[in-house]
Amino acid sequence: MIEDSFGRVHDYLRISLTDNCNFRCFYCMPEEDYDFTPASRLMQPDEILAVAEIFVAQGVKKIRLTGGEPLVRKDAPLIISELGKLPVELVITTNGTRIAEMLPVLISAGIKTVNVSLDTLQREKFLLITRRDAFEQVRENINLLLQNHISVKINMVVMKGLNDNEIKDFISWTKGLAIEIRFIEFMPFTGNKWTSNKMFSLEEILSVIQQDFAVFPAKGNPNDTAKHFTIPSHKGSFAIISTMTAPFCSTCNRMRLTADGKLKNCLFSEQETDLLTALRNKQPILPLIQASIWSKKKELGGQLNKQFDQINVQDIHNRSMITIGG
Ligand code: SAM
Ligand code: SF4
């Protein structure tokens, strides 16, 4: 069992397969030109599997693959197939562009839920946010997942003045389709263009939806980061991830492994533990994992002020989201 000093048991590992991506979402990538990590410095498939097995032996029940865009990695099919053999729930977060070609691998690895990021239902705005013209492709791939009986959760980062006017459109989408929309509060990371006035809060999201829809809270799981809601007569549902205005740190069970093999005990932690170098030097990594999680701070990596209007993104000591693995 992997536990921190506040008694939180950690049984959920998020593995970033790469910091490379075929999109350029401004809220995720650093502003300046960014060099992706060379392949030799990324964890190799056998290394990912070896590290994952150690976590699973310590009680990890769920592994999420993320990135960067996990499905742009050439050996992603091999990694997914190998991890699919472990006794865990395997899930993935993707921008949705590579679903069609990866579908057989996802199915045979036993992946039953896919989180697809989609911040707008408008083609032009999609291009503006991602700098790639792939809106139709992503929409088609979402349908493809559903046709293949894979649950779909849509991640939508809500940004004031950019896509907050589409919240109701996303809700309307759930009327006839059994998907979950996950509205995510915009978070600050090194190099992104976060300012507090671009944030659209849990409260604001809910009040927009309640103008037109009858909303009921739904029961979630104990470690959920999302607050779940239903609307009677809608096949789908929605959730809000309120990291900024109502964080869920007290029940956190998450650990993050970056593509270059560093363990982060919190999305906002400055501290990282280099598991890959230790593994390559044939040193035991379990004590490193245990020490890292034991030193986890109580809330928000110990560095984000809960009064978000006082946060200056320049003062945050962290990586950019694309290099952490969201
Ligand atoms: N490429 C994949 C994708 O886009 O789904 C996986 C990696 S991406 C970093 C994972 C999630 O983080 C996405 O849903 C993305 O929208 C979210 N994300 C990235 N930057 C964010 C930010 N600044 N605030 C909130 N969510 C963010
Ligand atoms: Fe790429 Fe996902 Fe980041 Fe967009 S959010 S740049 S798709 S990693």
Side-chain angles (χ1 to χ4, degrees), residues 156-212:
M156 192 264 203
V157 181
V158 191
M159 291 160 282
K160 198 172 267 174
L162 181 63
N163 59 357
D164 57 307
N165 59 348
E166 291 191 61
I167 290 172
K168 289 181 191 172
D169 298 339
F170 275 85
I171 292 293
S172 298
W173 195 21
T174 66
K175 186 162 177 58
L177 210 57
I179 51 175
E180 182 184 74
I181 308 293
R182 295 155 60 87
F183 298 108
I184 304 175
E185 288 180 348
F186 184 23
M187 297 182 275
F189 291 98
T190 304
N192 81 355
K193 293 178 183 156
W194 187 92
T195 53
S196 63
N197 60 5
K198 288 186 195 150
M199 252 195 59
F200 206 74
S201 68
L202 161 84
E203 232 172 77
E204 291 172 300
I205 296 168
L206 258 187
S207 85
V208 166
I209 299 171
Q210 282 166 332
Q211 286 166 6
D212 285 11

Side-chain angles (χ1 to χ4, degrees), residues 239-252:
I240 303 177
I241 302 177
S242 54
T243 313
M244 300 305 295
T245 64
F248 30 78
C249 304
S250 64
T251 56
C252 184

